[in-house]
């Protein structure tokens, strides 16, 4: 089989974890599989890089940050490659080169005081470039051939910095021509996750948590047999285990369930990961690098038919509810169109929409990081309607969260919404707004952020998701 294996931040967070990642890779290679590895940055490094860029843009560049990042990587390299001085030196050189560039960019930012999305990508994508040579080195000292590859020359994207989209045709051509010759020579490529490059070679990032997406993009480009995502939990679970301790691992889920869960906040998968794999029907496995004996979750077309309507409950934080209201909105044609055109122009992502049947308001949810921009754009697009009094107010509420119940079988199973609302009523959680996708794969609700954890637990309990489903 050709397997694309992705290791997340905690799976490469320390020398011990990187050794384990190298071991898991070597094990699959020994079983006769051809393996392409995709790596995240060491845990916490991307946050550190972004914080450094932001403070540099405020004129506060502290050169010691470079030293801190270097020391962390050096300690790991020394522990892993101490007995192989040549490899050790080459890896440290690669790290230093990348950090030189990082330092120069931050210094420049501290002079110009302007952090563009393009510059932020150039800086935040550095973490993966530091990790790839280390993991490749750790694989190489296991008597295997391995090479670190930067995805700027592999995943071709548009220039939407911060959440770039791959160009599948160009990526396919480039990825195949770069990676297949290596694979044929028995080399295990270790590709940087999270980043890509425009046609002109300018570094872009795929969005936070985007290394999962990198793995499925590369899997699709290479027509891989499977994509394996190694992380720090046993698989995709019925809820976030940090929120619901009794959450259970789901053995088999469908592409649509996985993508709905990821879209509605299950951080275990970047929300765009499923699409490239789905298009080519490549099975995706979520596995625990801390406990590889566990079976994990398999994501495929069919999933596993189960008697259960709701399979999982998710939540999204750091979102805001925008409400456009006015008694005069009734019957004014085109208001919704104008509203959503304005949001689209801002390239903001709408996570959920809900309109009361009275047509006295339109409400929808966007990421809090985008809300100021969106409200400003709406005020300008609806200026005339505000002046004429059709629209009375445009407000934003940052203290909300979206909770979603997800499952393929919800479609056509009566009584699910009633059970959800019953559970929330009993738990004293106030539902601010509701929406059900026409696909009926989920019911999503807006609740106060302070009540989200309680809402998730109440729904989880009402559907007894902690118990295994009957086949
Ligand atoms: P990685 O660094 O490997 O990419 P992430 O931190 O991005 O890992 O994702 C794994 C984390 O996702 C888990 O540790 C868990 O806290 C969180 N998570 C949220 N929802 C779920 C869910 N439904 N199933 C499993 N994990 C979840
Ligand atoms: N390192 C990147 C992040 O922290 C990408 C990833 O880990 O998937 O967002
Ligand atoms: Mg992740």
């Amino acid at each position: 089989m050709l397997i694309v294996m992705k290791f997340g931040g905690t799976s490469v967070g320390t020398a011990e974890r990187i050794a384990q990642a190298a071991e898991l890779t070597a094990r699959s290679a020994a079983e006769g599989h051809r393996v392409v590895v995709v790596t995240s940055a060491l845990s916490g490094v991307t946050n550190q890089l972004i914080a450094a860029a932001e403070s540099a843009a405020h004129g506060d560049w502290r050169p010691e940050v470079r030293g801190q990042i270097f020391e962390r990587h050096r300690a790991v390299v020394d522990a892993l490659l101490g007995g192989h001085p040549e490899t050790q030196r080459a890896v440290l050189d690669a790290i230093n080169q990348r950090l030189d560039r990082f330092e120069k960019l931050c210094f420049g930012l501290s002079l110009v005081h302007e952090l563009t999305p393009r510059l932020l990508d150039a800086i935040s994508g550095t973490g993966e470039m530091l990790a790839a040579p280390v993991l490749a080195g750790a694989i190489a000292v296991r008597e295997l051939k391995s090479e670190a590859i930067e995805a700027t020359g592999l995943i071709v994207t548009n220039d939407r910095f911060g959440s770039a989209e791959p160009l599948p045709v160009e990526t396919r051509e480039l990825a195949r021509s770069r990676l297949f010759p290596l694979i044929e020579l028995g080399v295990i490529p270790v590709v940087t996750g999270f980043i890509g490059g425009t046609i002109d070679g300018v570094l872009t990032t795929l969005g936070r948590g985007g290394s999962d997406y990198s793995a499925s993009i590369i899997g699709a480009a290479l027509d891989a047999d499977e994509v394996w995502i190694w992380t720090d939990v046993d698989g995709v679970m019925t809820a976030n285990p940090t929120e619901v301790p009794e959450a259970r691992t789901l053995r088999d889920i469908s592409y649509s369930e996985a993508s709905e869960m990821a879209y509605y906040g299950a951080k275990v998968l970047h929300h765009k990961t499923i699409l490239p794999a789905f298009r080519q029907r490549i099975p995706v496995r979520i596995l625990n690098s801390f406990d590889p004996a566990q079976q994990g979750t398999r994501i495929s077309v069919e999933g596993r038919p189960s008697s259960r309507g709701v399979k999982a409950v998710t939540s999204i934080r750091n979102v805001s509810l925008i409400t456009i209201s006015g008694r005069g909105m009734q019957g004014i044609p085109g208001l919704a169109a104008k509203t959503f055109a304005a949001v689209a122009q801002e390239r903001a992502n709408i996570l959920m929409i809900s309109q009361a049947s009275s047509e006295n308001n339109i409400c929808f949810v966007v990421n809090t990081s985008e809300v100021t921009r969106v409200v400003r754009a709406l005020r300008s697009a609806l200026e005339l309607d505000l002046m004429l009094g059709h629209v009375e107010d445009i407000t934003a509420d940052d203290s909300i969260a979206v909770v979603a119940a997800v499952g393929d079988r919800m479609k056509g199973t009566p009584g699910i919404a009633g059970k959800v609302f019953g559970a929330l009523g009993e738990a004293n959680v106030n539902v601010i707004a509701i929406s059900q996708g026409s696909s009926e794969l989920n019911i999503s609700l807006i609740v106060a952020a302070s009540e989200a954890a309680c809402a998730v637990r109440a729904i989880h309990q009402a559907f007894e998701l902690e118990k295994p489903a009957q086949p």
Side-chain angles (χ1 to χ4, degrees):
M1 283 207 298
L2 173 59
I3 306 172
V4 175
M5 284 194 186
K6 176 255 172 178
F7 293 95
T10 42
S11 300
V12 292
T14 61
E16 197 191 347
R17 301 308 313 150
I18 295 176
Q20 167 75 345
E23 183 55 36
L24 290 168
T25 306
R27 218 180 282 172
S28 285
E31 283 165 10
H33 300 303
R34 295 175 298 155
V35 183
V36 173
V37 173
V38 173
T39 185
S40 287
L42 276 60
S43 52
V45 169
T46 310
N47 286 345
Q48 214 176 350
L49 294 164
I50 293 172
E54 283 171 349
S55 62
H58 286 104
D60 179 20
W61 162 239
R62 291 194 219 105
E64 65 268 22
V65 176
R66 181 207 162 119
Q68 287 160 6
I69 297 176
F70 179 73
E71 284 310 323
R72 170 142 179 227
H73 286 80
R74 195 182 57 173
V76 166
V77 170
D78 288 352
L80 288 167
L81 309 174
H84 305 265
E86 231 173 88
T87 313
Q88 183 183 22
R89 202 169 322 109
V91 172
L92 287 175
D93 278 353
I95 290 172
N96 260 320
Q97 254 180 32
R98 288 301 163 198
L99 286 174
D100 281 347
R101 181 172 150 283
F102 160 70
E103 188 171 15
K104 282 185 191 135
L105 287 170
C106 285
F107 182 67
L109 274 179
S110 70
L111 300 178
V112 296
H113 289 221
E114 195 199 354
L115 182 55
T116 59
R118 176 173 168 159
L119 266 172
L120 183 59
D121 276 5
I123 292 173
S124 65
T126 306
E128 275 65 15
M129 299 190 202
L130 303 175
V134 183
L135 181 51
I139 294 171
V141 298
R142 283 178 160 66
E143 312 281 287
L144 287 163
K145 287 186 270 183
S146 182
E147 193 176 317
I149 306 279
E150 294 191 351
T152 34
L154 210 67
I155 296 181
V156 186
T157 73
N158 64 12
D159 63 357
R160 224 183 128 183
F161 296 100
S163 57
E165 275 303 326
L167 308 179
V169 176
E170 290 81 351
T171 299
R172 187 176 175 86
E173 201 182 303
L174 208 58
R176 295 174 84 87
S177 66
R178 282 286 308 277
L179 298 180
F180 277 139
L182 290 176
I183 297 170
E184 263 146 43
L185 290 172
V187 176
I188 299 176
V190 178
V191 182
T192 53
F194 185 46
I195 63 174
T198 63
I199 288 187
D200 304 325
V202 181
L203 190 149
T204 55
T205 67
L206 306 173
R208 292 306 305 273
S211 298
D212 304 325
Y213 193 25
S214 305
S216 69
I217 294 168
I218 293 170
L222 300 182
D223 297 325
D225 294 290
E226 295 202 355
V227 172
W228 293 6
I229 311 252
W230 291 99
T231 184
D232 60 357
V233 281
D234 284 348
V236 177
M237 305 177 81
T238 50
N240 184 345
T242 58
E243 203 159 73
V244 183
E246 65 275 19
R248 207 174 35 82
T249 305
L250 294 159
R251 295 271 165 260
D252 278 284
I253 56 175
S254 66
Y255 290 117
S256 51
E257 285 169 334
S259 103
E260 243 8 56
M261 284 182 72
Y263 187 79
Y264 284 99
K267 188 187 170 220
V268 65
L269 271 181
H270 180 269
H271 67 280
K272 294 179 186 163
T273 309
I274 294 302
L275 193 60
F278 165 72
R279 281 198 191 114
Q280 282 168 243
R281 306 294 190 263
I282 301 171
V284 178
R285 286 180 199 274
I286 315 296
L287 297 158
N288 191 347
S289 74
F290 291 74
D291 191 359
Q294 293 294 328
Q295 214 181 323
T297 300
R298 183 171 187 273
I299 305 170
S300 61
V301 178
E302 61 282 0
R304 178 192 288 170
S306 107
S307 53
R308 197 162 256 170
V310 171
K311 272 200 181 163
V313 195
T314 61
S315 64
I316 321 180
R317 316 300 170 105
N318 303 318
V319 287
S320 301
L321 176 66
I322 296 181
T323 305
I324 300 175
S325 56
R327 270 155 300 174
M329 281 168 65
Q330 217 159 353
I332 303 281
L335 209 64
K338 251 193 268 181
T339 299
F340 295 121
V343 181
Q345 202 150 18
E346 285 301 307
R347 294 181 143 187
N349 190 21
I350 296 182
L351 298 156
M352 170 178 166
I353 304 175
S354 159
Q355 180 178 30
S357 59
S358 66
E359 289 187 38
N360 281 344
N361 68 55
I362 299 173
C363 48
F364 56 92
V365 176
V366 297
N367 286 315
T368 301
S369 58
E370 294 176 326
V371 75
T372 312
R373 234 165 12 97
V374 172
V375 169
R376 200 183 308 127
L378 286 170
R379 286 196 188 285
S380 147
L382 302 177
E383 196 178 1
L384 193 61
D385 301 275
L386 279 159
M387 216 168 73
L388 295 174
H390 302 150
V391 172
E392 283 160 23
D393 211 354
I394 303 175
T395 56
D397 180 353
D398 299 340
S399 64
I400 58 122
V402 174
V403 170
V406 177
D408 273 352
R409 284 284 181 102
M410 287 171 62
K411 199 180 170 87
T413 309
I416 288 187
K419 201 162 166 183
V420 168
F421 294 116
L424 294 179
E426 229 165 87
N428 261 330
V429 174
N430 180 39
V431 177
I432 300 169
I434 312 160
S435 152
Q436 176 170 32
S438 58
S439 61
E440 287 186 48
L441 297 181
N442 81 75
I443 296 176
S444 42
L445 317 152
I446 300 175
V447 299
S450 58
E451 295 187 333
C454 176
V456 169
R457 282 195 288 267
I459 300 171
H460 199 273
Q461 201 171 20
F463 288 90
E464 300 187 325
L465 299 185
E466 68 286 357
K467 297 187 185 155
Q470 304 301 317

